[in-house]
Amino acid sequence: MSNTPGVLKKAKRLRSTLLEDPSTIDKPWVAVKDPFLRISYWLTWGIAFLGIAGSAIRCYFGYKSVLMLDGNLCPVLDEEFNTDTDTVFGTNSNWFREVELGGYGNGEFEMTTSSSNNSYVQNGYLYLTPTLTADEIGQSNVMNGYTYNLTDCTYNVTNPATLPGSSTASATGTTFDATAYYQSCGAVSNSTSGTIINPVQSARISTRNSASIRYGKVEVRAKLPRGDWLWPAIWMLPVNNTYGAWPLSGEIDIMESRGNGRTYPGQGINYVRGSLNWGPLPFLNAVAKTFGWWTQRRTDYGEGFHTYTLEWDSSFLRIYTDSRLNYMLDLNFNEPFFSRGDFPTVVENGTAPIVLTNPWVNGTNATPFDQPFYLIINLAVGSTNGWFPDNMGDKPWLDGSSDAMKNFALAQDQWYPTWGSDGEEKSLVVDYVKMWQLC
Ligand SMILES: *[C@@H]1O[C@H](CO)[C@@H](O)[C@H](O)[C@H]1NC(C)=O
Ligand SMILES: *[C@@H]1O[C@H](CO)[C@@H](O)[C@H](O)[C@H]1NC(C)=O
Ligand SMILES: *[C@@H]1O[C@H](CO)[C@@H](O)[C@H](O)[C@H]1NC(C)=O
Ligand SMILES: *[C@@H]1O[C@H](CO)[C@@H](O)[C@H](O)[C@H]1NC(C)=O
Ligand SMILES: *[C@@H]1O[C@H](CO)[C@@H](O)[C@H](O)[C@H]1NC(C)=O
Ligand SMILES: *[C@@H]1O[C@H](CO)[C@@H](O)[C@H](O)[C@H]1NC(C)=O
Ligand SMILES: *[C@@H]1O[C@H](CO)[C@@H](O)[C@H](O)[C@H]1NC(C)=O
């Protein structure tokens, strides 16, 4: 190692450039504060705070404004379908199978049966399953030369007031409507006249003899059927038609859907709809003022089970799926239904013009939805009432055509394959049904 002691290399002096000009040194503590900076500081934080406080208040009042059932809920029906078909549909059970083939006022194409082929219980679930009438009587009989009579038709049971000898019939002089009876209970296929036997058999069950509520809650957990032109519904009708025949006494539709695929332009199986039907005359149903729907973006209602709920009292009615946030209808009874309907003052009823008067004038804002309603669960197929709009999704029939049902039947090769092959997909599957009365 070599070293040179005593000799220090002269260091180069580093000069501060800062010290050269003191005026360039930052001295924030002596600076006069910019008042605008201070204002903008407080303004920013102030506004942010106001925003947060405001939205908290909004949330609070939003939360408080959600009307909730005011009272206790007393159980009316708790059906888990944990027994077997014979028990669920046995005498004095909760469920009544409605058997008719007249289209239920909607021009529906199915006949509803009491057969365990179309309504049955399996593994704790209720199944409503559509089958082909041809499987029972053969395709040629469906199309021509056959008379089908529903031996267990329930028209008389569901229209008791029209029966000869009933107290209502004698009191009001009502006569038995033989035409309506025969149209609901029997059909003839005739290729010359173009009539056929309803090509599909399905089911419609109700609690009309066992359970109804006037205000309360209904909850149904179900998986919807998949397949073109299938129309499942969970809905309610009035027990006693207090204000007159449909739609004077109202109808509550908790869930309706269409089995058509997600690409169907008229809202397919990724949509469910809730609505109220009401009006002073059959052709003045104001359902368009009280309906709504919920939709799934990446899946659909045939993929799994969802809960469909009705909450209803004298001040509001709400229909939702799974959560109150997913509401299809949230109606405050803050206005009488007659003014809500915005009906014309003079209408043509048949051939006679009549001045329309409020049929619910002696009621409340809830009228006609202030009477006991019972529950119906059904699986319809097609219809001519517009539920499936014409010219949408290759619909094989026109609603106005007298050959509608026949054209639907002739297109079986198009729609039947979409119903799946195992019976599961085309079925409306119900896990449970619960009803509570507000008490
Ligand atoms: C179920 O359908 C088959 C035809 O597919 C028929 O033979 C049978 O009788 C039906 N069962 C009932 C209970 O109606
Ligand atoms: C329904 O009532 C009519 C009139 O009383 C009667 O002729 C008919 O047989 C009844 N039908 C059934 C299925 O009970
Ligand atoms: C069977 O139904 C047809 C069509 O509705 C009807 O004309 C006929 O009278 C019915 N037969 C019986 C026995 O009810
Ligand atoms: C079929 O309909 C035609 C035309 O409406 C009618 O003339 C004929 O009698 C009907 N056939 C039967 C078996 O009812
Ligand atoms: C419906 O009317 C009948 C006959 O007036 C009556 O006995 C029954 O209690 C009423 N049902 C309901 C649910 O109001
Ligand atoms: C409309 O006409 C039908 C059939 O004539 C009648 O039963 C009904 O009472 C009429 N409705 C009104 C509001 O006048
Ligand atoms: C309303 O009540 C009055 C008086 O009781 C009665 O005259 C009228 O017919 C009722 N109107 C309706 C539509 O029920």
Side-chain angles (χ1 to χ4, degrees), residues 53 63 152 166 387:
Y63 172 78
D152 51 358
S166 90
W387 178 245

Side-chain angles (χ1 to χ4, degrees), residues 58-128:
R58 237 192 101 132
C59 285
Y60 174 75
F61 283 106
Y63 172 78
K64 292 293 280 184
S65 76
V66 175
L67 293 170
M68 299 297 247
L69 293 174
D70 187 16
N72 293 324
L73 291 173
C74 297
V76 169
L77 183 116
D78 184 1
E79 175 67 80
E80 307 268 353
F81 302 109
N82 284 335
T83 54
D84 56 19
T85 305
D86 288 347
T87 310
V88 165
F89 294 106
T91 33
N92 298 324
S93 78
N94 293 330
W95 302 102
F96 172 71
R97 283 164 161 153
E98 297 193 6
V99 179
E100 281 187 35
L101 53 63
Y104 291 104
N106 297 322
E108 297 163 22
F109 299 151
E110 84 288 352
M111 65 170 85
T112 57
T113 77
S114 60
S115 164
S116 55
N117 282 346
N118 303 117
S119 52
Y120 56 97
V121 171
Q122 200 172 69
N123 302 324
Y125 296 106
L126 166 76
Y127 281 76
L128 301 190

Side-chain angles (χ1 to χ4, degrees), residues 332-378:
N332 194 329
F333 290 158
N334 54 6
E335 180 186 3
F337 274 89
F338 194 68
S339 63
R340 196 188 287 275
D342 206 9
F343 300 110
T345 42
V346 176
V347 292
E348 201 80 19
N349 184 26
T351 51
I354 54 165
V355 175
L356 210 56
T357 53
N358 181 355
W360 310 298
V361 66
N362 295 331
T364 66
N365 280 358
T367 312
F369 299 97
D370 59 351
Q371 56 181 317
F373 278 70
Y374 65 91
L375 187 71
I376 304 172
I377 303 178
N378 78 298

Side-chain angles (χ1 to χ4, degrees), residues 16-30:
S16 165
T17 47
L18 275 174
L19 286 174
E20 271 169 15
D21 181 2
S23 72
T24 64
I25 298 175
D26 263 350
K27 290 181 196 153
W29 56 91
V30 296

Side-chain angles (χ1 to χ4, degrees), residues 160-161 163 165-172:
L163 285 185
S166 90
S167 54
T168 322
S170 46
T172 59

Side-chain angles (χ1 to χ4, degrees), residues 36 49 66 126 136-137 143 145-146 152 182 186 227 236 245 296 343 431:
F36 291 108
F49 174 77
V66 175
L126 166 76
E136 188 199 352
I137 61 172
M143 303 310 287
Y146 195 85
D152 51 358
Y182 283 117
M236 302 183 92
Q296 299 260 34
F343 300 110
D431 183 15

